[in-house]
Amino acid sequence: MILINDKFLAVLIEPLQTDFMLRAVIGGTLAATICAIAGTWVVIRGMAFLGEALGHGMLPGVALATVFGLPLILGAAVSAAAMSAAIGVLQRRGRMSFDTSIGLLFVAMLSIGVIVVSHSRSFATDATTMLFGDILALKDTDLLILCAGLGIALFIAVKFHRNFTATAFDERIAATLGLRPRLTQVVLVGLVTLAVTASFQAVGTLLVVGLLLAPVVAANRWSTRIHTTMCLAAIFGAVSVVCGLLMSWYFGTAAGATIAGSAILIAGLSAFCRIAANRLRATNLEPRAASELSIPEFERTT
């Protein structure tokens, strides 16, 4: 048993002895925590399409940043922020529904990104990085940016918790309480934009929704409280990052795709374990229920 534990620890420690893997674990954990905060509200409000659209909406900014030699995360942030602002404008002035405005901008931004990528002949490797991320290339400055992003996400989550909660259940009640549901919607979109931008470097534009949703889906099986769900989702997200990086290290797979796949797998395992736990609990309660029912029957017969 000791030998097995030593081998298991060696498997875990060996990749972390390299600087780039250690930065990947730290950066991925920070991104997963930001996604857990935003993803909890995304699941509660049914805004998964927004996360998917913002993930693809970053493509033009990332492509232009690559062309001009700028940091990719800067291009992703500017593009996602522009799309978020455009969604609000279309809703207010274009009198479109939330889903309709997202759908139109999703196609428009994706088209622009593909045009920029196809216009350049040197985008073969860069396009792969855009779509699937490059978490192994994180630098110390990227970690500082992620730390700042996590601080902003925590501030928004605490400051607007009451607004988010009231608006999620009934916007009319939120308006009656003076919680300004329109402003709350804008802030929530900004929070999702922050999460998508932060996790872009880890899993890319194509798989970002996996890190945003899957850990929260896994956490929802074990908690109905918002704060607890966020904490559990952050833990599941961090486990997905570590497992994905280890599998990528030992099996030679793409790190971003493996992290996203690990998050989906953990969500499935969480659902399976919850179902098994419920069945086991029901099985254990049946004998007790039978014995309790037999007492009044015995009393009636006597």
Side-chain angles (χ1 to χ4, degrees):
M1 181 66 68
I2 296 177
L3 182 61
I4 294 176
N5 291 336
D6 290 341
K7 290 183 178 180
F8 181 72
L9 289 175
V11 169
L12 292 177
I13 293 174
E14 181 183 353
L16 298 180
Q17 292 177 349
T18 59
D19 292 338
F20 69 91
M21 280 292 289
L22 185 59
R23 282 195 295 268
V25 170
I26 296 173
T29 301
L30 291 172
T33 305
I34 298 173
C35 285
I37 296 172
T40 300
W41 292 111
V42 168
V43 173
I44 291 174
R45 296 290 302 274
M47 298 169 60
F49 184 41
L50 174 63
E52 179 71 19
L54 286 174
H56 290 80
M58 292 187 298
L59 188 59
V62 175
L64 290 173
T66 303
V67 171
F68 293 107
L70 299 174
L72 297 184
I73 194 169
L74 176 62
V78 171
S79 184
M83 183 173 179
S84 300
I87 290 173
V89 171
L90 285 179
Q91 273 191 284
R92 291 192 302 270
R93 299 184 180 180
R95 296 181 180 180
M96 296 182 183
S97 66
F98 190 63
D99 288 341
T100 302
S101 58
I102 291 175
L104 288 175
L105 289 170
F106 166 70
V107 176
M109 297 292 278
L110 184 60
S111 300
I112 295 172
V114 173
I115 290 172
V116 174
V117 170
S118 62
H119 186 69
S120 175
R121 297 181 179 179
S122 60
F123 258 111
T125 57
D126 295 328
T128 303
T129 301
M130 285 184 238
L131 296 176
F132 303 106
D134 193 7
I135 192 173
L136 300 179
L138 287 176
K139 301 177 181 178
D140 293 337
T141 53
D142 297 323
L143 297 183
L144 292 176
I145 293 173
L146 285 170
C147 288
L150 178 58
I152 296 172
L154 288 172
F155 173 79
I156 293 174
V158 174
K159 181 71 175 178
F160 289 89
H161 176 76
R162 187 164 176 254
N163 301 58
F164 289 160
T165 303
T167 305
F169 287 102
D170 196 321
E171 291 188 2
R172 292 173 298 179
I173 294 177
T176 303
L177 296 174
L179 297 179
R180 304 177 66 182
R182 287 189 178 181
L183 176 62
T184 301
Q185 180 70 15
V186 172
V187 174
L188 181 56
V189 172
L191 180 60
V192 177
T193 302
L194 174 64
V196 170
T197 304
S199 55
F200 153 74
Q201 189 87 6
V203 294
T205 61
L206 192 63
L207 303 173
V208 65
V209 70
L211 196 59
L212 187 68
L213 299 181
V216 180
V217 172
N220 272 340
R221 294 289 181 172
W222 306 97
S223 174
T224 56
R225 299 179 63 88
I226 294 174
H227 293 95
T228 307
T229 300
M230 285 184 181
C231 293
L232 286 176
I235 294 172
F236 284 132
V239 172
S240 301
V241 170
V242 174
C243 291
L245 287 172
L246 288 177
M247 285 189 286
S248 173
W249 175 274
Y250 286 105
F251 297 105
T253 57
T258 310
I259 290 173
S262 298
I264 301 298
L265 180 61
I266 288 176
L269 289 175
S270 176
F272 175 79
C273 292
R274 186 60 182 177
I275 294 173
N278 289 339
R279 290 182 178 178
L280 181 61
R281 182 182 178 185
T283 303
N284 292 334
L285 289 177
E286 285 179 0
R288 183 182 299 178
S291 62
E292 289 175 354
L293 289 173
S294 64
I295 294 175
E297 290 178 0
F298 175 76
E299 290 177 350
R300 285 198 299 269
T301 57
T302 57

